[in-house]
Amino acid sequence: MAARYGTEKAAESLDQAMHQLRGAVEQMRFARYRFSGQHRDVTRAVATLSVALQDVLPYLAED
């Protein structure tokens, strides 16, 4: 159960962090284009991690 809870919390935290990152990038109008490539790379990596976390949930025990 702890592994399932930890995985669910990690997925929720990733989602919240990505929303905060989007807001921060939108507020940095002067540097938006400079960071756009790095932001895209981070977004893809986090999306891959998030999908992997969601894929593993059914295999974790619910004891």
Side-chain angles (χ1 to χ4, degrees):
M1 176 137 183
R4 179 181 265 294
Y5 177 76
T7 304
E8 289 173 352
K9 287 299 287 179
E12 291 172 12
S13 296
L14 278 173
D15 187 48
Q16 183 181 14
M18 291 308 293
H19 284 291
Q20 289 175 352
L21 178 61
R22 182 187 330 150
V25 169
E26 287 176 357
Q27 292 178 4
M28 295 188 309
R29 301 205 188 280
F30 65 92
R32 181 185 300 175
Y33 297 107
R34 185 176 358 156
F35 294 119
S36 66
Q38 293 168 334
H39 180 264
R40 182 183 62 242
D41 294 342
V42 168
T43 302
R44 285 182 182 163
V46 170
T48 302
L49 176 60
S50 181
V51 168
L53 287 173
Q54 294 297 325
D55 284 347
V56 84
L57 280 177
Y59 300 104
L60 297 175
E62 291 190 32
D63 298 0

